[in-house]
Amino acid sequence: MERTLIRDIRLVAGQTAKVQGFVENIRDGKSMAFIVIKDITGKLQVTVEKEKCPQLVDDIARITPDSVITCVGQVMENEYVKMGGIELLPSELYIEAVADALPIVRKEIPATKKKQAVERSAIDQRLNYRWIDLRTDDNQLLFRIQSCLVNAMRQYLVEHDFTEIHTPKLIGAASESGADVFEVEYFDRKAYLAQSPQFYKQMAMASGFERIFEVGPVFRAEKSFTSKHTTEFTGFDLEFSYIESYRDVMQIEAEILTYALGVVKEKFGEQIKEFFGIDLIVPTLPFPVIMLKELYSELEKEFGYVPADEDRGDLTTEAERLSFDWVKKHFGHEFLFITDYSAEKRAFYHMRDENGVPQGYDLIWRGVEITTGAQREHRYEQLKKQAQEKGLDEDVKFYLEFFKYGCPPHGGFGLGVDRLTMLLLGLNIKEAMFLFRSPDRLNP
């Protein structure tokens, strides 16, 4: 018999159906047993009258929470069933897997008259058993939301003539600065895990692809222990040709995010509010824009915040945080583009104007940087000179070759899918990823 998903169970009311899933709860009484079975689409009460089903009694006694079972039986509407007014009366029950007592507490259990409250396990303990932690409603909802978000961004780009590519993650030279890379043995020589697809995105521009994007893993060997950093994450990157300035890049990023968040709001807005307590606000166009120097001036006037002199060419973590309060107050917006960073704080491949100012930006959402974007330097001699300034010309020799034989003006950006999810749902980065990686976590 073909399996029926629980979301579709009402369609087969009055008929025999087969359902499969994890046991969320079981009450095994003397004459009756009530089992709540859960699949990825919903939950269903399975009601067993033991006198009518003696063949099931022994198996029911073996069932534990989180066991996996298959039930075949009559689907009946019952107004007294709190779970959707529908239940399954099984004639067959198969235990696919019996679960041991769980090593973690996934949700806080409130106190009752007979029992004390049980605290939720700490996040690091839950990460040790991530596959168990992921069975909860909110975690499974999280990844449906993330899937919707990424698919909406992909859909927007495909509809605007972008081609999805897949670049190598094993590379022969460090992809950006030469630092913070993972070195691996590659037969008789060294290789590195890619910090970003940056060089290969630009190679695609030199190949005449004009508009490309990629969704794939990114590796950063940074010893950071913050609520937003990880050593491996999923990047969403794009690059496109024949731009007039970096503002073209800013514009398309704003359009993508506005579209994608609109799709997520329409499909999951109410559930995001219910499960995560977040009101998802779809941004309006255009996004506010401010130069870094002007932002520091505004933050000093508004909050008395003054960065150290050596930090003025870049955005400090505290300034990131304060920028959210500032942009909400003055623009009623959650996003803020910041431009005109110091050349020494930007990558060598960012185009610079006649004054040496990098033609790029950061995008801040809810006080956290989610994107660095820019117009790239596509002129070979200028790009070579900028690589030499940072002492990288030998390290990026293969990359410079892409520009010797003609390349159109282009630009792009990259953002982290996991960080985007974190901010969307108000989580810690550890909770926003399928599996978290950090300098001290490599398992499971």
Side-chain angles (χ1 to χ4, degrees), residues 275-442:
F275 282 85
F276 300 99
I278 297 287
D279 283 312
L280 176 55
I281 298 172
V282 179
T284 55
L285 295 171
F287 288 8
V289 183
I290 191 170
M291 292 192 297
L292 180 63
K293 182 178 179 180
E294 291 178 356
L295 177 63
Y296 277 132
S297 177
E298 290 293 319
L299 295 183
E300 183 176 0
K301 286 189 291 184
E302 197 86 25
F303 306 106
Y305 176 72
V306 179
D309 288 344
E310 61 269 22
D311 293 333
R312 285 190 171 274
D314 203 359
L315 188 68
T316 65
T317 301
E318 180 65 8
E320 266 187 41
R321 186 183 66 79
L322 292 173
S323 72
F324 182 37
D325 295 326
W326 181 83
V327 77
K328 278 194 302 181
K329 178 178 178 180
H330 293 277
F331 292 90
H333 216 285
E334 293 189 337
F335 289 87
L336 179 64
F337 282 121
I338 302 171
T339 67
D340 292 63
Y341 285 78
S342 164
E344 67 180 29
K345 302 294 185 180
R346 301 280 99 169
F348 75 92
Y349 49 78
H350 286 202
M351 182 177 279
R352 303 172 190 171
D353 68 9
E354 63 276 8
N355 299 312
V357 178
Q359 299 300 282
Y361 66 89
D362 279 353
L363 178 58
I364 314 299
W365 185 27
R366 295 178 175 171
V368 178
E369 179 257 307
I370 60 169
T371 296
T372 294
Q375 179 168 4
R376 320 301 187 186
E377 180 54 72
H378 64 283
R379 298 163 296 183
Y380 173 72
E381 292 298 337
Q382 183 63 31
L383 185 59
K384 184 178 178 182
K385 177 184 174 184
Q386 291 178 190
Q388 288 172 339
E389 286 176 8
K390 291 185 180 279
L392 294 172
D393 48 320
E394 287 301 314
D395 290 340
V396 298
K397 204 168 185 179
F398 83 99
Y399 161 76
L400 294 174
E401 287 286 307
F402 301 158
F403 303 91
K404 287 178 72 173
Y405 308 101
C407 185
H410 62 277
F413 67 83
L415 57 81
V417 169
D418 311 286
R419 187 176 289 189
L420 207 57
T421 306
M422 174 190 81
L423 293 167
L424 175 63
L425 302 178
L427 302 173
N428 183 293
I429 192 66
K430 293 179 180 181
E431 301 171 292
M433 306 180 68
F434 186 74
L435 284 172
F436 172 71
R437 290 289 178 257
S438 71
D440 59 3
R441 179 170 287 279
L442 198 54

Side-chain angles (χ1 to χ4, degrees), residues 99-369:
D100 285 352
L102 300 186
I104 56 171
V105 179
R106 293 171 294 202
K107 291 287 185 183
E108 180 182 343
I109 303 172
T112 65
K113 290 181 180 180
K114 296 183 179 180
K115 295 182 180 180
Q116 291 184 330
V118 179
E119 289 187 4
R120 186 185 192 189
S121 299
I123 179 63
D124 287 315
Q125 187 179 358
R126 284 185 279 123
L127 288 178
N128 290 338
Y129 297 92
R130 183 61 165 161
W131 66 97
I132 300 173
D133 192 42
L134 286 171
R135 293 175 189 168
T136 61
D137 294 343
D138 51 353
N139 273 327
Q140 293 182 351
L141 173 62
L142 182 160
F143 289 99
R144 292 202 302 275
I145 292 167
Q146 186 181 88
S147 178
C148 176
L149 178 69
V150 173
N151 185 61
M153 293 193 292
R154 177 183 275 117
Q155 181 183 18
Y156 182 91
L157 291 175
V158 169
E159 289 177 356
H160 286 78
D161 297 320
F162 278 75
T163 300
E164 185 169 7
I165 64 170
H166 303 283
T167 62
K169 305 308 166 198
L170 280 170
I171 59 177
S175 31
E176 292 194 10
S177 64
D180 298 329
V181 293
F182 290 110
E183 185 179 295
V184 297
E185 292 183 11
Y186 192 75
F187 302 106
D188 60 344
R189 55 196 183 278
K190 293 178 181 178
Y192 305 91
L193 296 180
Q195 291 169 292
S196 84
Q198 184 58 47
F199 290 173
Y200 295 109
K201 288 194 301 176
Q202 292 187 258
M203 190 188 85
M205 299 302 96
S207 303
F209 280 30
E210 295 196 12
R211 292 178 162 229
I212 62 93
F213 72 98
E214 175 172 16
V215 185
V218 175
F219 303 90
R220 297 282 168 89
E222 297 175 307
K223 289 189 176 180
S224 296
F225 298 89
T226 74
S227 62
K228 61 184 182 181
H229 283 93
T230 178
T231 53
E232 179 183 355
F233 60 90
T234 300
F236 193 104
D237 284 79
L238 68 78
E239 205 79 17
F240 64 117
S241 292
Y242 302 107
I243 65 172
E244 294 185 2
S245 82
Y246 68 95
R247 292 186 179 273
D248 295 338
V249 183
M250 291 163 59
Q251 177 65 25
I252 199 166
E253 180 169 16
E255 291 174 0
I256 292 166
L257 288 170
T258 298
Y259 174 78
L261 291 174
V263 172
V264 172
K265 172 86 170 182
E266 182 177 351
K267 188 170 183 180
F268 292 106
E270 291 182 7
Q271 290 173 283
I272 290 171
K273 178 65 175 176
E274 177 187 352
F275 282 85
F276 300 99
I278 297 287
D279 283 312
L280 176 55
I281 298 172
V282 179
T284 55
L285 295 171
F287 288 8
V289 183
I290 191 170
M291 292 192 297
L292 180 63
K293 182 178 179 180
E294 291 178 356
L295 177 63
Y296 277 132
S297 177
E298 290 293 319
L299 295 183
E300 183 176 0
K301 286 189 291 184
E302 197 86 25
F303 306 106
Y305 176 72
V306 179
D309 288 344
E310 61 269 22
D311 293 333
R312 285 190 171 274
D314 203 359
L315 188 68
T316 65
T317 301
E318 180 65 8
E320 266 187 41
R321 186 183 66 79
L322 292 173
S323 72
F324 182 37
D325 295 326
W326 181 83
V327 77
K328 278 194 302 181
K329 178 178 178 180
H330 293 277
F331 292 90
H333 216 285
E334 293 189 337
F335 289 87
L336 179 64
F337 282 121
I338 302 171
T339 67
D340 292 63
Y341 285 78
S342 164
E344 67 180 29
K345 302 294 185 180
R346 301 280 99 169
F348 75 92
Y349 49 78
H350 286 202
M351 182 177 279
R352 303 172 190 171
D353 68 9
E354 63 276 8
N355 299 312
V357 178
Q359 299 300 282
Y361 66 89
D362 279 353
L363 178 58
I364 314 299
W365 185 27
R366 295 178 175 171
V368 178
E369 179 257 307

